[in-house]
């Protein structure tokens, strides 16, 4: 009886968390698409810094969405562990780990470029 109650409770929770991930990813995608179109139409599409900041922001939202999906997958695999659920959980975890690694690397690179651009003397002496 407890197991049935647990299944009944977990299904809407998993669906709600998946919906949250969908809203995050879809919203970020629409925002990024509209912003890219605006950059192109305004002639500022060649501004590498602006593009880079836009893509980094988009990547952050994707990571957030993947984190929500990972949470839903964790709940699902703990309630009804199957090889398919475990495989999906592993795939999402690996993708999220790689995205986080490259996102953090890009954030550091942009910060260093900003410092070098704002204070050229400080950026030149940095080892």
């Amino acid at each position: 009886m407890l197991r049935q109650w647990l299944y009944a409770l977990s299904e809407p929770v998993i669906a709600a968390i998946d919906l949250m991930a969908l809203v995050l990813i879809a919203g970020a995608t629409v925002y990024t698409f509209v912003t890219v179109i605006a950059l192109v139409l305004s002639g500022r599409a060649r501004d590498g810094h602006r593009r880079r900041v836009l893509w980094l922001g988009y990547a952050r939202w994707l990571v957030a969405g993947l984190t929500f999906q990972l949470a839903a997958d964790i709940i699902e695999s703990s309630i009804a562990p199957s090889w398919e659920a475990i495989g999906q959980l592993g795939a999402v975890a690996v993708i999220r780990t790689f995205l986080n690694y490259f996102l953090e690397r890009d954030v550091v690179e942009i910060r260093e470029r900003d410092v070098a651009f704002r204070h050229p003397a400080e950026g030149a002496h940095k080892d």
Side-chain angles (χ1 to χ4, degrees):
M1 170 129 170
L2 182 61
R3 185 169 285 293
Q4 290 172 342
W5 180 79
L6 192 58
Y7 284 130
L9 181 63
S10 67
E11 286 302 317
V13 169
I14 292 167
I17 294 171
D18 279 334
L19 178 62
M20 290 176 205
L22 174 69
V23 168
L24 284 175
I25 292 170
T29 300
V30 169
Y31 172 81
T32 303
F33 178 77
V34 169
T35 305
V36 165
I37 296 301
L39 284 174
V40 168
L41 294 177
S42 71
R44 294 181 288 161
R46 292 182 181 223
D47 183 351
H49 176 75
R50 191 178 302 257
R51 281 193 333 256
R52 189 87 150 154
V53 168
L54 177 65
W55 292 121
L56 283 174
Y58 183 49
R60 284 187 185 109
W61 284 108
L62 290 177
V63 168
L66 283 172
T67 302
F68 278 90
Q69 286 180 332
L70 183 62
D73 289 344
I74 288 170
I75 293 169
E76 187 173 18
S77 66
S78 68
I79 298 301
S82 70
W83 284 112
E84 182 180 347
I86 292 169
Q88 288 175 344
L89 178 62
V92 170
V94 167
I95 291 168
R96 184 180 174 278
T97 301
F98 276 105
L99 278 175
N100 274 337
Y101 171 77
F102 288 111
L103 176 62
E104 286 302 317
R105 191 181 71 180
D106 286 347
V107 166
V108 167
E109 183 180 318
I110 283 184
R111 283 185 189 144
E112 289 174 355
R113 284 183 187 175
D114 284 348
V115 167
F117 179 74
R118 288 186 205 141
H119 310 286
E122 291 177 26
H125 299 301
K126 190 175 181 180
D127 290 330

